Structure formats: structure tokens, C-alpha cells
Amino acid sequence: MIKFSKTVSAMILALGIAGSASAAYPDAQPVKVLVGYTPGGTTDLVARIVAKGLSDELKQSFVVENKPGASNNIAMTEVARAKPNGYTLIVTTIASSVNATLFKKLNYDLKKDFAPVALI
């Protein structure tokens, strides 16, 4: 189990959690949490558990949305193109790092377009 969790550890990545200094995060709108895999898998379950905990703790909606396909690249591209305000997050696996070596052209740069928020 430990070996499994090390190799398939999930990370929440977000686009710049910068916001105005006066506003509390999250303050006005639901936070979208994307998962690049089908519902019911390990990554989806982890995302739903974390989203529920965040919703309960912060009293704000964290909505999980599945965008499977293209080895997680569809969801990653959507998050990379989202407004960098912290209201679009992604729960992903080590596959995102591997994809950078497997695909010649990605619509995102893992190092430039994302900021890690938590390792779960």
C-alpha cells in the first residue's frame, strides 16, 4: 500500500491563489475541482473526499467535475486556461509529470501554468 501511494500520489494543483488582499478565499463563487479521470476511480474518490472536507471547513462549495480523456490532458488544459484566481483546481496524479515526457506538444506547461497547493 505504501508503494502504491508513493507512485500514485495525488496532488492538488491550482492556478495562482492570488486574489485581492481584502477578500477572503473563497469568497463569492464555487470552486471547481477538476479530475482528469472517470468517476469512481481512486483520483476521483480522493478529490471528492478533499472537496467535501474543504466545503465543510470553509463553508463554500467545492464542486468536483470529471473531464476524462487524453491521459488527463483535457482537464489539465482546461485548468491551465482558466483565470488564475484559485477558483479552478485540479486533482491529478504522477501522470501529469509523465505526460510531459510522452507528448511532443501539450497545451500547457506544467512548471509555468500550475502552482502546487497540497500533496494528498
Side-chain angles (χ1 to χ4, degrees):
M1 185 67 174
I2 293 172
K3 187 175 181 181
F4 175 77
S5 65
K6 284 183 180 178
T7 57
V8 189
S9 63
M11 295 184 309
I12 293 181
L13 298 170
L15 293 168
I17 304 273
S20 68
S22 62
Y25 172 84
D27 63 344
Q29 63 191 32
V31 178
K32 184 169 33 170
V33 181
L34 273 83
V35 176
Y37 304 99
T38 57
T42 306
T43 308
D44 177 62
L45 294 174
V46 168
R48 291 178 189 282
I49 290 168
V50 170
K52 171 82 169 92
L54 289 170
S55 291
D56 292 347
E57 184 70 27
L58 299 174
K59 308 295 187 242
Q60 181 70 28
S61 294
F62 283 74
V63 180
V64 176
E65 185 178 324
N66 297 83
K67 294 274 186 171
S71 298
N72 190 43
N73 290 327
I74 293 172
M76 294 292 288
T77 299
E78 183 172 332
V79 175
R81 291 180 178 166
K83 187 175 179 182
N85 59 7
Y87 286 91
T88 304
L89 307 175
I90 188 159
V91 176
T92 188
T93 65
I94 194 73
S96 298
S97 296
V98 174
N99 285 348
T101 65
L102 294 178
F103 294 90
K104 289 183 180 181
K105 182 172 179 347
L106 293 173
N107 295 322
Y108 59 89
D109 184 317
L110 194 58
K111 292 179 182 177
K112 294 178 183 175
D113 295 332
F114 298 92
V117 176
L119 179 65
I120 53 174

